[in-house]
Amino acid sequence: MLAAMLLPTPPQRTPAVSSDVNMPALIGQSPTIRQLHDAIRQVSDSPTTVLILGETGTGKELVARVLHDLSSRRAGPFVAVNCAAIPDDLIESELFGHERGAFTDAHATRRGQFEMANGGTLFLDEIGDLSLRAQGNLLRVIEERMFARVGGTEPIRVDVRLLGATNVDLEQAVRNGGFREDLYHRLNVVPIQVPPLRERSEDIPMLVEHFLARANQEHGSQKTIAPEVMDRLAGYDWPGNVREMENLMARLVALAANPVIQEDDLPLKVRARARTRTLAEDVRRGAVSLTQAVDAFERELILDALTRTSHVQVRAAKALGITRRILKYKMDALGIPVTRPRARPIRRQAA
């Protein structure tokens, strides 16, 4: 939409790519990811502005890059701007550029991101974090079909397709007065929702294998994952989504002592949250009662703490944030046997 506004007569472009183009970067076979693939194909070669919505770490910039790569603009630049990382007093200069002497540190003329994206795609990430002033400047460019560099007067026209992304509920932000309603409607021409991992758990094994292979290649290793570990990962809710998974696979490959990654190699947070989700599903299905689920969860946490502290109850209780007396009470109630810590060998002093 922005490209059509900025250029009265857009140049002739090559035909759109076929709809069967593979998108290996967006891995998965779940219904939700297939819907995302379909949405991307439908709008990839359109000049229409697209607003990409989704939680942190779901891959919104990845979707934007695929939209660009599948479009007839793929030979042009793809310019990504993280709006949240730019101070409010610099955003105008960052987007539209500045002339020499426009402000104290403007020692030379500088092109903005709109100019650098000419003939291609401009991706504004975290657009919901723009200040109201910056939102007004962006809206003016869209509506007036041109802009001038900071400190300049000459109007500049560019052929740019605009993509935006946010993890903010912009409709709520509009109601709260934190986002301009007119800009929201300009941006929200075609919304694309990127699903979180917890809504496509059947894709998790494929993603795990993908990031594991990448981490193995980077570290020159050939580590694999035990089946019970894959079960834990599939039951985890992944609050950090794909980004969290990528980082976790890199950590496991780097730190796991054995060629086969075991449950003990997983961070406690992952094991605990995965088990919580599994038990919650069991309760919903009626497979276990709430009391049984709570007991099973407590038992696993206590056994894990005891293992990590070599069965020293004082240390295990501290790790769990409870007293040793409460720990002993729970161990007795849950039938957890007492394992004596291994005695340290006594070093005899030389005579």
Side-chain angles (χ1 to χ4, degrees):
M1 187 179 205
L2 181 59
M5 288 181 173
L6 295 179
L7 276 187
T9 54
Q12 295 296 318
R13 298 193 175 277
T14 57
V17 293
S18 62
S19 60
D20 61 350
V21 171
N22 187 25
M23 291 183 279
L26 299 172
I27 295 171
Q29 296 294 329
S30 64
T32 51
I33 203 69
R34 286 179 177 274
Q35 290 174 6
L36 177 60
H37 289 182
D38 292 341
I40 290 173
R41 289 191 179 97
Q42 288 173 5
V43 301
S44 60
D45 205 43
S46 167
T48 304
T49 301
V50 176
L51 185 61
I52 306 168
L53 307 171
E55 297 176 6
T56 299
T58 50
K60 296 186 292 295
E61 181 172 347
L62 188 59
V63 170
R65 288 185 179 275
V66 173
L67 281 168
H68 173 76
D69 291 341
L70 290 180
S71 75
S72 54
R73 293 176 176 268
R74 57 190 175 276
F78 175 88
V79 177
V81 180
N82 184 353
C83 299
I86 305 172
D88 184 41
D89 56 345
L90 295 179
I91 189 69
E92 193 173 354
S93 171
E94 184 71 21
L95 292 179
F96 313 126
H98 60 253
E99 299 289 350
R100 179 180 179 182
F103 47 87
T104 303
D105 294 325
H107 303 301
T109 298
R110 180 180 180 276
R111 294 191 307 155
Q113 303 292 356
F114 266 94
E115 285 184 80
M116 286 190 267
N118 188 31
T121 303
L122 178 63
F123 172 57
L124 299 181
D125 196 10
E126 305 298 349
I127 201 168
D129 290 342
L130 284 175
S131 67
L132 289 172
R133 174 186 169 184
Q135 293 173 33
N137 291 333
L138 179 60
L139 179 64
R140 191 176 307 116
V141 171
I142 297 175
E143 290 182 336
E144 295 180 0
R145 309 182 183 186
M146 65 183 70
F147 64 90
R149 298 189 187 120
V150 177
T153 57
E154 181 180 352
I156 300 172
R157 297 177 182 271
V158 290
D159 173 22
V160 172
R161 186 193 189 181
L162 184 64
L163 306 177
T166 182
N167 59 4
V168 175
D169 184 342
L170 291 185
E171 289 188 359
Q172 185 62 47
V174 169
R175 288 192 291 269
N176 296 339
F179 202 84
R180 295 180 60 122
E181 184 174 7
D182 44 7
L183 178 59
Y184 170 68
H185 291 304
R186 288 286 191 180
L187 295 172
N188 194 40
V189 179
V190 176
I192 290 182
Q193 186 75 41
V194 185
L197 275 184
R198 66 179 176 276
E199 293 181 5
R200 54 186 190 108
S201 57
E202 56 266 57
D203 294 334
I204 288 176
M206 294 177 64
L207 286 162
V208 167
E209 294 295 344
H210 171 77
F211 289 123
L212 178 66
R214 178 185 294 179
N216 274 326
Q217 184 177 16
E218 291 176 353
H219 288 83
S221 60
Q222 295 181 346
K223 292 183 178 178
T224 59
I225 290 182
E228 57 270 21
V229 175
M230 186 65 81
D231 291 340
R232 290 284 187 171
L233 296 177
Y236 183 49
D237 59 354
W238 299 102
N241 291 293
V242 178
R243 185 180 301 145
E244 181 184 5
M245 179 183 288
E246 182 176 10
N247 292 338
L248 177 60
M249 289 303 105
R251 169 182 172 174
L252 292 175
V253 169
L255 299 181
N258 299 312
V260 180
I261 297 171
Q262 304 292 333
E263 278 196 78
D264 289 345
D265 296 317
L266 291 174
L268 178 60
K269 178 186 75 170
V270 175
R271 282 178 281 163
R273 291 182 69 147
R275 185 59 175 152
T276 301
R277 186 179 182 190
T278 301
L279 289 170
E281 291 174 355
D282 289 343
V283 172
R284 281 195 295 270
R285 291 187 295 105
V288 297
S289 67
L290 177 60
T291 301
Q292 290 172 324
V294 172
D295 287 348
F297 183 61
E298 281 195 338
R299 181 182 177 85
E300 288 198 22
L301 286 180
I302 291 172
L303 287 172
D304 178 80
L306 289 169
T307 300
R308 289 187 292 114
T309 57
S310 301
H311 291 268
V312 178
Q313 292 182 24
V314 173
R315 292 169 55 197
K318 184 177 181 181
L320 292 168
I322 58 178
T323 64
R324 181 188 177 280
R325 184 175 64 84
I326 293 177
L327 173 63
K328 184 63 171 63
Y329 169 79
K330 289 183 176 293
M331 288 174 63
D332 292 341
L334 296 171
I336 299 176
V338 176
T339 301
R340 299 297 177 188
R342 183 187 301 178
R344 294 183 179 180
I346 300 175
R347 295 183 179 180
R348 298 181 180 277
Q349 294 182 350

